[in-house]
Amino acid sequence: MANIRALLVGLSRARGSLAEAGRCASMRPSLLASVGGHYKVPMPARWFSTGLPPHLVVGMPALSPTMNQGNIAKWRKQEGDKIEVGDVICEIETDKATLEFESLEEGYLAKILAPEGSKDVQVGQPIAVTVEELDDIKNIPADTSFGGEQKEEQSAESAPKTDAANASEQSSVVSRISPAAKLLIKVHGLDVSSLRASGPRGTLLKGDVLAALKSGSISIPAKEQKAPATPSSQPTRNAQAQPATTSQKADTYEDIPNSQIRKVIAKRLLESKQTTPHLYLSKDVVLDPLLAFRSELKEQHGIKVSVNDIIIKAVAIALRNVPEANAYWNSEKEEAQKCDSVDISIAVATEKGLMTPIIRNADQKTISAISSEVKQLAEKARAGKLAPNEFQGGTFSISNLGMYPVDHFCAIINPPQSGILAVGRGNKVVEPVVDSDGNEKAAAVTKMSLTLSADHRVFDGQGNFSRSWHRISATLGDCYCKWKEVAIVF
């Protein structure tokens, strides 16, 4: 190992630039190799040797295709510890889950640059330094900086920021006023000339007025300062107390820190609503045949499955029978593209946010197999241990709130998928039914609300949309004997 590193250093010197030769700003997702829940990643590092013993500067790896920053959740190795090939160095919270960062190099951890709990560490940013020999640790001064490039970038960015600050001071003169700011000025009788505008093109915003009220650096016109002769002084005292009350109300909030996962969820949901034309269709289906089928599985065959497991199977069968609905919209080609497999994403609520583990080839699996896989994936999702291949992809999503007092709701499509089914709880209702004799009578039935959110570019009202929706609702509400035929259980 030492000979290999010496050779690499020699080659780098021959090229004339050690820093450029060893640069690896980020790890490509294609280099990921998931082995037993661990992630073997070539450590993004830079070689250095001038003035210091040979060492590696380890950068923040990209542990998912969409990751551009991460958080250091926990350091498994501490400064001075021996690192073997395959050892977990630290746990990194990405935009999807908390993953373990394995080393493919051996050596010693000389210095931790990003301490435990560090937030929003950019991909490629140095997080640690390793050396070959234990004695080399003491030869690396504690005050040595390994983030020179970032400091240069920060200093380069400081000049534009200064110019921007000067420009903002020049544009603080009020040239226009927002409606909310006008209302506050009118209510409090403020002098516009004493206010500073922070909005674009000298626009006075509501926040500017509230900030002025809070600081007290405002002047009240003379007309407002004169107290009326006849009325009592009570209104004056109220008027003077109003700014303080407004200031107190403005301060009554608390910032809630977001995890990396929640930030990405918020961004994706907003993009989905802004860029995907959502089309909605709701229907109540009779749940009694499904419940009877579920009871038989438990009583006669000892198989315990949930209603959600059967819904997954029903949706998978419907997508298999209507392949045009098992598709996504290709923005580059501006056309819908069919998916080769039916992969159902299941919404699972966790402490860090909503995760969507995937049941691959759900149409080919038995209900019992689906039930077992759902339990395993949900447990891993709540523990933050999902592998990338277990939550990336999917062709259709299901969000079930039937276990909560939610009758019906509309779910947001998870791009690039083209559909998501929102499932509400089952309710007992009384409605007319026709008995075996052809007579109509009142009877209590269990109904469940389904709402399909679909990408209108892929689904159209007269084509695959109506056919796939009919398949889903018919499969769920079909007669008892049909379920024994279509649901492969054993």
Side-chain angles (χ1 to χ4, degrees):
M1 179 61 68
N3 293 335
I4 294 175
R5 291 187 177 177
L7 177 61
L8 289 174
V9 173
L11 291 174
S12 300
R13 286 176 174 174
R15 294 184 64 182
S17 175
L18 288 172
E20 290 298 325
R23 188 177 305 277
C24 182
S26 64
M27 185 279 303
R28 296 183 180 274
S30 60
L31 296 177
L32 277 170
S34 174
V35 180
H38 297 251
Y39 301 88
K40 295 187 176 180
V41 185
M43 294 195 299
R46 291 191 288 267
W47 281 91
F48 293 91
S49 62
T50 304
L52 295 173
H55 60 279
L56 286 171
V57 179
V58 182
M60 170 65 77
L63 298 179
S64 73
T66 58
M67 177 180 172
N68 52 27
Q69 61 184 14
N71 304 333
I72 303 296
K74 182 180 180 180
W75 279 100
R76 294 283 192 88
K77 296 290 185 179
Q78 301 300 323
E79 293 183 357
D81 289 352
K82 172 69 174 177
I83 300 175
E84 301 288 351
V85 175
D87 284 352
V88 177
I89 302 176
C90 63
E91 295 179 6
I92 298 175
E93 180 184 312
T94 71
D95 56 346
K96 297 291 187 181
T98 300
L99 306 179
E100 295 174 334
F101 180 25
E102 280 191 11
S103 173
L104 293 183
E105 301 284 346
E106 63 180 27
Y108 294 86
L109 184 57
K111 188 175 182 181
I112 295 176
L113 304 178
E116 192 169 295
S118 298
K119 304 290 185 181
D120 301 334
V121 181
Q122 297 295 321
V123 170
Q125 181 176 333
I127 61 173
V129 179
T130 64
V131 295
E132 298 178 359
E133 306 295 338
L134 181 60
D135 295 338
D136 293 337
I137 297 178
K138 61 184 179 181
N139 296 326
I140 297 182
D143 58 349
T144 303
S145 174
F146 296 91
E149 295 181 354
Q150 294 181 351
K151 290 184 178 180
E152 292 177 2
E153 292 175 0
Q154 292 175 357
S155 61
E157 292 175 358
S158 62
K161 289 182 179 178
T162 305
D163 295 340
N166 295 334
S168 63
E169 290 180 2
Q170 296 176 359
S171 62
S172 61
V173 180
V174 178
S175 59
R176 59 182 71 179
I177 305 175
S178 69
K182 283 183 181 179
L183 180 60
L184 286 175
I185 293 171
K186 183 178 180 180
V187 170
H188 299 289
L190 305 180
D191 184 5
V192 178
S193 61
S194 63
L195 300 173
R196 297 174 64 86
S198 64
R201 300 180 182 179
T203 302
L204 184 67
L205 305 176
K206 177 183 177 181
D208 302 329
V209 181
L210 292 176
L213 289 171
K214 182 178 179 181
S215 63
S217 59
I218 53 176
S219 59
I220 302 176
K223 293 181 180 179
E224 297 292 335
Q225 291 176 356
K226 291 180 180 179
T230 52
S232 65
S233 60
Q234 185 66 27
T236 304
R237 288 197 297 269
N238 291 341
Q240 291 176 352
Q242 252 184 338
T245 304
T246 305
S247 175
Q248 292 174 1
K249 289 181 179 180
D251 292 340
T252 56
Y253 64 86
E254 179 184 357
D255 289 331
I256 302 176
N258 254 344
S259 65
Q260 199 67 25
I261 296 175
R262 288 191 182 275
K263 290 179 182 179
V264 174
I265 292 173
K267 181 180 179 182
R268 296 270 177 84
L269 292 178
L270 180 62
E271 289 178 354
S272 177
K273 291 293 288 184
Q274 289 179 334
T275 61
T276 304
H278 281 57
L279 178 65
Y280 304 100
L281 187 63
S282 297
K283 186 174 182 179
D284 292 335
V285 297
V286 177
L287 203 57
D288 295 299
L290 186 150
L291 296 176
F293 174 69
R294 177 170 174 256
S295 298
E296 181 184 315
L297 291 179
K298 181 179 179 180
E299 296 172 1
Q300 299 185 12
H301 305 286
I303 299 175
K304 296 181 180 180
V305 297
S306 67
V307 172
N308 195 56
D309 299 330
I310 303 176
I311 292 174
I312 294 171
K313 180 65 177 182
V315 171
I317 293 173
L319 293 175
R320 182 185 65 189
N321 294 334
V322 188
E324 296 85 2
N326 190 45
Y328 69 95
W329 182 257
N330 189 320
S331 299
E332 295 181 358
K333 297 182 179 181
E334 295 187 350
E335 62 183 16
Q337 290 192 337
K338 296 180 183 179
C339 300
D340 297 332
S341 59
V342 179
D343 304 326
I344 307 296
S345 300
I346 309 301
V348 177
T350 69
E351 292 182 356
K352 296 183 178 180
L354 192 68
M355 298 297 294
T356 53
I358 302 170
I359 307 296
R360 305 281 182 183
N361 300 307
D363 60 318
Q364 302 175 16
K365 294 181 178 178
T366 65
I367 294 181
S368 56
I370 290 174
S371 178
S372 176
E373 190 170 346
V374 167
K375 292 175 183 177
Q376 294 176 5
L377 291 174
E379 184 178 349
K380 293 177 69 175
R382 295 187 180 98
K385 300 299 183 180
L386 285 175
N389 64 301
E390 292 175 326
F391 59 79
Q392 292 176 1
T395 62
F396 192 91
S397 293
I398 297 175
S399 181
N400 190 345
L401 295 181
M403 64 290 296
Y404 303 105
V406 177
D407 293 327
H408 57 83
F409 66 102
C410 297
I412 300 176
I413 298 172
N414 182 23
Q417 298 176 10
S418 61
I420 181 170
L421 183 68
V423 183
R425 66 175 175 176
N427 292 307
K428 284 282 187 182
V429 297
V430 177
E431 64 177 28
V433 296
V434 179
D435 59 15
S436 57
D437 298 330
N439 299 321
E440 190 175 87
K441 64 178 182 179
V445 296
T446 306
K447 281 197 166 185
M448 178 177 64
S449 175
L450 302 177
T451 302
L452 178 63
S453 304
D455 187 341
H456 207 339
R457 297 170 298 183
V458 177
F459 292 80
D460 59 78
Q462 299 299 324
N464 51 18
F465 182 81
S466 58
R467 289 194 291 126
S468 60
W469 181 241
H470 173 72
R471 290 279 187 178
I472 294 173
S473 57
T475 306
L476 287 173
D478 210 345
C479 62
Y480 170 72
C481 60
K482 283 292 183 183
W483 261 109
K484 296 181 69 174
E485 296 175 5
V486 301
I488 308 170
V489 183
F490 308 108

